[in-house]
Amino acid sequence: MNPFQQSKFYLVEHLHLARDALHIYVALIVLFGSCILFGWRVHQWKPWLLVLLAALVGEVLDIRGMPGPFESAIGRENVKDILNTMAVPTMLLIAARYTNLFTRPQATTEAAQDSRDEAQVPAAPLGSERDVL
């Protein structure tokens, strides 16, 4: 067993996670970490592609750690792991690109202007209580 697989088993055992959950957490760490580190946005392809690259590299390391020839080790579990890793980042990419789910509501110019002014008090007739300084 290679050090990569040993570290995966260590995390699964000590964090009490399922292997599939570990894939999802790593995908989210890579996605949001790359956005924070490189200033990317979730709606861009770059963080999604970095997650895909990390998933592919992880599966290659898993396959290389398996006994037997490299080509015969590729199976359904590896494909499932890649799909599982990419599911949440793909949903976030689609939601960020094609919905208003992650956009801030923009204030109208009039409302934005009013918010910067001092509080407005409606005018009172002359001689009333409000007219006294």
Side-chain angles (χ1 to χ4, degrees), residues 13-86:
E13 185 175 324
H14 288 84
L15 295 177
H16 305 289
L17 292 173
R19 274 182 11 109
D20 293 338
L22 185 63
H23 283 270
I24 294 169
Y25 285 124
V26 169
L28 291 174
I29 289 169
V30 171
L31 180 77
F32 292 127
S34 66
C35 289
I36 291 168
L37 188 63
F38 300 119
W40 295 339
R41 302 278 184 229
V42 175
H43 71 272
Q44 296 175 314
W45 289 101
K46 293 176 192 178
W48 186 89
L49 287 173
L50 192 60
V51 174
L52 179 60
L53 178 66
L56 293 173
V57 167
E59 289 309 307
V60 166
L61 291 173
D62 274 349
I63 292 168
R64 291 190 69 186
M66 292 179 185
F70 181 82
E71 293 83 17
S72 66
I74 299 174
R76 275 186 256 160
E77 285 298 313
N78 300 103
V79 173
K80 184 190 88 159
D81 286 347
I82 292 171
L83 293 175
N84 195 22
T85 303
M86 296 307 299

Side-chain angles (χ1 to χ4, degrees), residues 114 116-121:
D114 287 344
R116 283 182 258 150
D117 293 341
E118 292 183 25
Q120 300 290 323
V121 178

